[in-house]
Amino acid sequence: MAFRGCPAERRAATLLGSKRDVEPGVRGVRRAASALGLLLLLAGLVVGADLFGSREALFGAATPPPLAAAASRSGAFHPVGTSPGSTKTVLRSQAWWQEVGRFQGAGAKRLPAFEISRDAIQWRVRWECPQGRFVVRKSARAEPLVDASCGGEKTAELTGQGSEALQIAADGPWTARVEQQVDVPLVEPPLPVMSAAGTRKVATGAFYRIDQVGKGSVTIYRLASGGHALRLDDFFVTANIDLEIRLSPLRAPRTTRQYLSVPAKRVAPLDITAGSMNFTLPDGVDPARYRSVVIWCPLIDSAYAAATLEPDHAS
């Protein structure tokens, strides 16, 4: 049937007819989009609330699993995860090397078995021998883990965990050290000299943030021998390599620029960034000349954290 009317009316009728023709398909698409949106919303709620452990299953845990802290820098005495009385923590340190064992010999020798922690990142052998070659195998017929020339101290990094018993072959005398790399905190007991007769606390302080997170406390001791020792307790600082403990004459530096305005004294490298640790101050360093402890990062010239030293009048 012919349509009578003006051109504008004919165009409107044509468009109306087209809309009616496609409307069922549009409604289907809209229903599908609405259903998909609802599903995505529900999925977001499930994952966001971590129902049924869904977030961890999809993306992994945001918080690392609790691990036992190390009780010694030497794993030969207190392997990670089996330290007597150690408690588990989710805190992690900058990765550090814990000694597992030291060995020496001449020519061929089978080392006593040692244990690489299941929580170790990797392990390594560091050796010295004057001449010839130094070869390390898991057994006499196995492919070498290490086959290198002697001369100076050398290192080979390896992977794997569990019990190891290595076979060493060399052309002469040698020394070797096995170390494992871990990132758990180190919780050392105080040094015996810190509670010995004649030792006294001279200053204490609590860490605060400058450029990075810093927590915990510091105590400085004057030892009966006349030297000084420093202890960090329940300590944590943002991890980085090559951090240092320094003493500053400023009472409470608040910025890196302020810290750099006066000379400071380097006390010790800080290779472990979480836990409770002991350090001996270098000979000739008098802490009475300084008013704060600063965690310094020379890699980027940044004062990470500091603690104001308050004289301990109780001792």
Side-chain angles (χ1 to χ4, degrees):
M1 179 179 69
F3 182 84
R4 294 186 178 89
C6 69
E9 290 172 332
R10 288 200 298 271
R11 284 197 298 271
T14 302
L15 290 173
L16 182 60
S18 300
K19 181 178 178 182
R20 288 171 177 167
D21 291 340
V22 300
E23 193 172 42
V26 172
R27 282 200 295 266
V29 170
R30 286 176 178 172
R31 288 195 193 99
S34 297
L36 179 60
L38 181 60
L39 286 173
L40 290 173
L41 177 61
L42 290 174
L45 291 173
V46 169
V47 173
D50 198 23
L51 297 177
F52 317 112
S54 56
R55 185 171 63 231
E56 185 171 333
L58 288 171
F59 305 112
T63 302
L67 295 176
S72 169
R73 288 180 177 268
S74 173
F77 301 106
H78 296 293
V80 172
T82 60
S83 306
S86 63
T87 57
K88 291 188 174 183
T89 176
V90 298
L91 285 181
R92 293 293 186 267
S93 166
Q94 172 67 29
W96 55 283
W97 291 99
Q98 182 187 48
E99 185 176 295
V100 175
R102 296 191 182 198
F103 311 96
Q104 61 181 7
K109 182 177 181 178
R110 185 170 182 81
L111 303 186
F114 56 84
E115 189 81 13
I116 300 298
S117 170
R118 61 184 177 83
D119 298 322
I121 300 167
Q122 59 182 336
W123 59 286
R124 68 185 182 186
V125 180
R126 305 178 71 182
W127 72 91
E128 280 191 271
C129 49
Q131 60 185 10
R133 299 196 70 77
F134 184 81
V135 181
V136 180
R137 292 183 170 90
K138 286 195 174 184
S139 67
R141 296 183 180 181
E143 287 293 316
L145 299 175
V146 177
D147 186 353
S149 60
C150 292
E153 185 178 76
K154 298 188 176 181
T155 302
E157 296 181 353
L158 306 165
T159 58
Q161 294 85 30
S163 181
E164 300 284 355
L166 302 180
Q167 179 77 41
I168 305 293
D171 298 323
W174 51 267
T175 60
R177 186 165 61 213
V178 175
E179 299 169 324
Q180 60 185 4
Q181 190 180 44
V182 295
D183 62 359
V184 296
L186 171 63
V187 180
E188 294 180 309
L191 296 172
V193 293
M194 290 177 173
S195 58
T199 293
R200 63 184 181 88
K201 294 180 184 179
V202 295
T204 59
F207 282 96
Y208 59 86
R209 178 189 181 112
I210 300 182
D211 290 343
Q212 300 293 337
V213 174
K215 298 180 180 179
S217 64
V218 58
T219 305
I220 296 181
Y221 298 83
R222 179 175 175 80
L223 307 178
S225 62
H228 294 85
L230 180 150
R231 178 169 172 82
L232 304 177
D233 278 297
D234 299 322
F235 175 76
F236 176 82
V237 71
T238 302
N240 205 345
I241 60 173
D242 298 330
L243 297 183
E244 297 176 354
I245 300 174
R246 293 192 174 188
L247 290 171
S248 170
L250 298 175
R251 185 178 186 279
R254 294 292 175 179
T255 65
T256 290
R257 183 175 181 178
Q258 186 179 8
Y259 162 77
L260 289 172
S261 66
V262 294
K265 184 68 177 179
R266 183 181 184 272
V267 171
L270 184 67
D271 58 330
I272 305 171
T273 56
S276 298
M277 296 156 279
N278 307 306
F279 301 87
T280 300
L281 271 62
D283 292 340
V285 175
D286 182 4
R289 298 173 55 190
Y290 302 95
R291 304 183 68 190
S292 63
V293 174
V294 176
I295 306 303
W296 175 249
C297 181
L299 191 68
I300 56 174
D301 286 341
S302 173
Y304 271 30
T308 298
L309 291 173
E310 302 290 353
D312 191 300
H313 301 294
S315 301

